[in-house]
Amino acid sequence: MALKIAVLVKQVLDPEMPVAAFRIDAGTKRVVPPPSIPPVVNGFDENAVEAALRIKDAAGAAVTAISMGPSFALDVMKKPLSMGADELVLLQDQAFDNTSDAFFTAQVLASAVRKLGGFDLIICGRQASDWDNAQVPLGVAELLGVACISLGKKVEVQGAKVVVERLIPDGYEVVEASLPALVTVSNELGQPRYPTLRGIMAATRKRPTIWKLSDLGVAKEQLQPRITLHNLFVPQRSKVCEMIEGDDAADAGRKLAMKLREAKLI
Amino acid sequence: MAEAKGVLVLGEIAGAELSSSSLELLAAARKLSASLGEEVAIALLGDTLDVPAKTAISHGADQVYAVNHPQLRQYHPDLFLAALETLCREASPRIILMSRSNQGRELGPRLAFRLGVGLAQDSLEIALDPATKKLMANRPVYGGNAVAVVSCNATPQMAAIRPKAYEPLAADAARQGKITSFPVDLKPEAARSRVVSVVKEEAKGVKLEEARVVVSGGRGLGGPEPFKNLDALAKLLGGAVGASRAAVDSGWIPASHQVGLTGKSITPDLYITVAISGASQHMAGCSGAKVIVAINKDAEANIFKEARYGVVGDWQKVLTGFTEAVRELTQG
């Protein structure tokens, strides 16, 4: 039977948007998505899709992308399909509005994985660029009771095991585990592929599976949030930058060196 | 289970000593313990714990749980987790603190899920709410564009602290504390993964995390070649070379040089950024730098909002003039 791979992906606010467009609604404690800037697939999750597709290219695999949220920009979330994933499952419910609670999110995603009959390998981005929480993938591994390897920069399946080059502060270690397993990946994995025209056409024809909370059979008590958000604000910056000027750029550079010398910094 | 009490720090061993991030956690824990009127304990896992245990006491621990086991000599997430889960259930702390270090990154969330509680991730500041005595954590989110204030709904309340967010307390050799051996029963099969080999990509010269001066380059450098110029300047200053994620992703410099939210956290006295725009994800890794210098052609770049000194101009020309002057000053 073909290898079954799930990739967990999240729709996020574009982290590359100008800082000036970043706004918080103090009342709801929410970031207000600027209407002119469309959301994106979380960058590390695109690395995760890429990791899954490399395995598919090498050994053959059925790749399913799974996402949870209150609503989706379908054209954005079809990107994993246009890159080459086979299926897309969207867990869409107003009840999924609180995506900042790792416990809640992991319970919902784990139940979807179970409902889909389980996977040999689950690949996730190391963290999402909105809440930078880096908890959900590890939580899903715990809830499913599968082996967990974090911060991969290369992921390969060899027979019944996964072999991962895992980032450590000054290099990497090669770690292996028996399947089923969950692996998180980092940007060091390399650029995600661009969707091909054929991929985009195929993705247009594919219809995602859409499940609501009630389809998943998660008990209410399992969804009790573990974290309370009290406040969300934009930090004030008080620094004043002293601009160094010169006759030309090189002279400004020289003057900068003098300035740092005066300040006893060099 | 006994009534939850006290602050438990999850210590880490670096070499044969307590890690610097553990010392930072003890300082944070002492502040909480002062307002709670409860003890600070630390969990140490390994096979030779006498030295770090004494260090922990002199830096603020009232109680050391020494979890001695030959299987814990080397870090393995599954075995460490098994030991920590047992200890946390037994010790029943009110609050658990860990570092968002390399180990803490994977242990923290997994331990929280095993205990069925919430974890305030990557906190910069923690304090007790004066009214409720609940742990409140300030944590940067959206790549540092916003700060969230969160609390945990279940006990134990857990927080992972960003490395360098707290200063360690000065060692006090006269401090008294209790060292308790905490035996655990570990099954080798609990380790679900196996390290096959380790490949070090250690940069030569001064270590980035320890450097007093760091010279970093970003996307604006346009290629790998300019890093040679940065390296020459860093050598003159006795410092190390860093990079933004954009430069690493472009393959211009190895990932071990990356400074930022998902790279290294550095705390140099002087941080010189060259052609780095200063996205908040990058700034998250250098917020502990004493003085930031920005060289960038875009006067509107975010880096100038974070820097103490700035030069707007072509980085190549600025850097040439700067390096020449530094050479004269340091060698003249």
Side-chain angles (χ1 to χ4, degrees), chain B:
Chain B
M1 210 197 278
E3 191 205 347
K5 232 179 152 177
V7 183
L8 177 67
V9 167
L10 306 187
E12 280 179 39
I13 313 286
E17 252 300 2
L18 197 58
S19 75
S20 57
S21 63
S22 303
L23 302 180
E24 295 158 22
L25 293 177
L26 284 169
R30 280 255 62 101
K31 283 193 181 159
L32 301 179
S33 105
S35 14
L36 279 174
E38 294 174 5
E39 281 198 339
V40 172
I42 186 168
L44 296 179
L45 282 61
D47 70 345
T48 34
L49 299 171
D50 296 351
V51 173
K54 291 201 178 90
T55 307
I57 291 170
S58 65
H59 281 86
D62 302 308
Q63 161 89 50
V64 177
Y65 293 112
V67 189
N68 259 297
H69 199 291
Q71 298 255 34
L72 299 173
R73 188 162 68 91
Q74 278 203 315
Y75 171 68
H76 189 291
D78 296 339
L79 297 175
F80 270 49
L81 266 175
L84 287 173
E85 185 188 356
T86 311
L87 175 65
C88 290
R89 290 188 187 281
E90 193 108 343
S92 186
R94 184 190 297 275
I95 292 167
I96 298 175
L97 299 183
M98 73 201 56
S99 174
R100 195 230 53 193
S101 57
N102 236 46
Q103 284 185 24
R105 270 192 169 122
E106 59 180 348
L107 291 179
R110 292 182 66 188
L111 183 60
F113 272 81
R114 285 201 188 178
L115 298 173
V117 302
L119 165 73
Q121 178 73 296
D122 198 19
S123 308
L124 279 182
E125 202 183 343
I126 51 170
L128 293 178
D129 182 278
T132 62
K133 293 277 173 195
K134 282 202 84 132
L135 181 71
M136 307 293 283
N138 282 20
R139 55 170 309 245
V141 294
Y142 286 88
N145 281 315
V147 174
V149 183
V150 298
S151 69
C152 304
N153 301 342
T155 306
Q157 307 164 74
M158 290 178 74
I161 313 288
R162 183 178 286 190
K164 317 268 162 89
Y166 281 80
E167 284 272 339
L169 301 170
D172 175 1
R175 271 199 96 249
Q176 296 291 310
K178 203 164 85 186
I179 302 176
T180 312
S181 166
F182 187 89
V184 286
D185 183 23
L186 291 177
K187 297 180 181 65
E189 62 269 25
R192 306 280 291 271
S193 61
R194 195 169 70 86
V195 177
V196 184
S197 60
V198 178
V199 182
K200 292 267 182 194
E201 291 171 341
E202 200 126 10
K204 287 187 209 78
V206 187
K207 275 186 84 169
L208 194 52
E209 301 95 315
E210 292 162 10
R212 212 186 56 77
V213 180
V214 174
V215 185
S216 264
R219 199 197 302 265
L221 291 181
E225 282 298 312
F227 276 98
K228 286 185 186 147
N229 305 347
L230 267 55
D231 193 49
L233 175 60
K235 280 211 175 75
L236 279 177
L237 295 166
V241 173
S244 72
R245 185 180 146 183
V248 169
D249 278 353
S250 304
W252 300 341
I253 185 162
S256 52
H257 290 270
Q258 187 181 319
V259 172
L261 185 65
T262 58
K264 287 185 170 143
S265 294
I266 58 167
T267 52
D269 294 338
L270 178 61
Y271 186 47
I272 302 170
T273 69
V274 185
I276 284 181
S277 66
S280 31
Q281 287 89 343
H282 181 76
M283 302 320 293
C286 58
S287 53
K290 288 210 180 77
V291 172
I292 297 176
V293 172
I295 299 171
N296 199 299
K297 67 171 194 293
D298 176 11
E300 298 301 313
N302 190 57
I303 190 74
F304 291 113
K305 296 194 177 73
E306 309 274 356
R308 174 72 187 83
Y309 302 103
V311 179
V312 177
D314 180 331
W315 70 264
Q316 250 167 320
K317 293 180 183 134
V318 177
L319 195 69
T320 306
F322 182 66
T323 308
E324 269 172 24
V326 168
R327 187 171 284 123
E328 285 162 22
L329 288 169
T330 52
Q331 296 177 349

Side-chain angles (χ1 to χ4, degrees), chain A residues 130 142 174 226 228 230 237, chain B residues 114 116 142 151 153 196 306:
Chain A
D130 47 7
E142 286 296 322
V174 182
R226 298 301 202 261
T228 300
H230 296 270
R237 289 185 175 85
Chain B
R114 285 201 188 178
Y142 286 88
S151 69
N153 301 342
V196 184
E306 309 274 356

